[in-house]
Amino acid sequence: MKKILLAEDDPFVVEIYSRKIKEAGFDLEIVQTGEEALRKIKEERFDILLLDMVLPGLSGWEVLEAIRKEKEKNEQLRTLKVLVLSNLGSRPEVERAVRMGAERYLIKAHYTPAQVVEEVKRLDR
Ligand SMILES: [Mg+2]
């Protein structure tokens, strides 16, 4: 079973996404801060990180940067795919995130939770 880590601080967003992700048959863990996300992905192997950009403490940007810096020496980080889920999404932000290693950048307002799950499945292939 594919393992997904959802890093999201909004309880309402967590609730709707986690239900959909579990229904789709993925193994899901949830963290609420950037620090926890970073700790988790270094401790265990996840297939996909669903990363909110505005998080308490370390931001999603800082998490992306840390992954980029550490992936040379960390196999788990090398195989991890990052899918950004954000309310922010100007073209420069999207381009910056992709340059920093994100596979996809989904703007929350443009995707339903079901569509986000479809994107996760697509990454999974
Ligand atoms: Mg947030």
Side-chain angles (χ1 to χ4, degrees):
M1 196 191 290
K2 294 283 176 173
K3 279 181 71 176
I4 299 184
L5 182 66
L6 172 63
E8 170 62 67
D9 61 319
D10 179 336
F12 177 70
V13 174
V14 167
E15 195 192 317
I16 50 175
Y17 283 90
S18 60
R19 191 182 311 143
K20 285 280 174 200
I21 292 166
K22 286 181 196 159
E23 276 171 13
F26 293 102
D27 181 0
L28 177 70
E29 290 193 42
I30 299 157
V31 290
Q32 273 135 19
T33 69
E35 282 83 356
E36 287 175 284
L38 208 48
R39 183 174 52 76
K40 272 275 179 197
I41 57 177
K42 287 192 217 169
E43 269 174 18
E44 346 171 4
R45 191 184 169 281
F46 285 90
D47 297 288
I48 296 168
L49 169 63
L50 277 175
L51 180 64
D52 182 23
M53 291 315 239
V54 181
L55 289 167
L58 281 185
S59 69
W61 296 106
E62 289 168 303
V63 173
L64 271 182
E65 181 61 23
I67 293 171
R68 189 172 66 164
K69 278 189 185 150
E70 293 179 43
K71 65 169 34 157
E72 281 305 307
K73 50 181 178 13
N74 186 323
E75 161 99 43
Q76 282 166 205
L77 296 183
R78 256 198 313 277
T79 54
L80 178 72
K81 290 175 179 169
V82 182
L83 206 159
V84 173
L85 256 185
S86 185
N87 288 318
L88 316 168
S90 67
R91 182 182 285 269
E93 283 169 324
V94 173
E95 287 171 355
R96 180 174 165 224
V98 169
R99 269 203 313 278
M100 289 173 76
E103 301 278 333
R104 299 276 282 113
Y105 192 115
L106 308 181
I107 297 162
K108 283 173 191 164
H110 299 177
Y111 285 81
T112 65
Q115 286 172 321
V116 170
V117 170
E118 285 309 309
E119 293 294 332
V120 168
K121 288 183 183 164
R122 205 164 291 158
L123 276 189
D124 194 29
R125 279 175 204 140

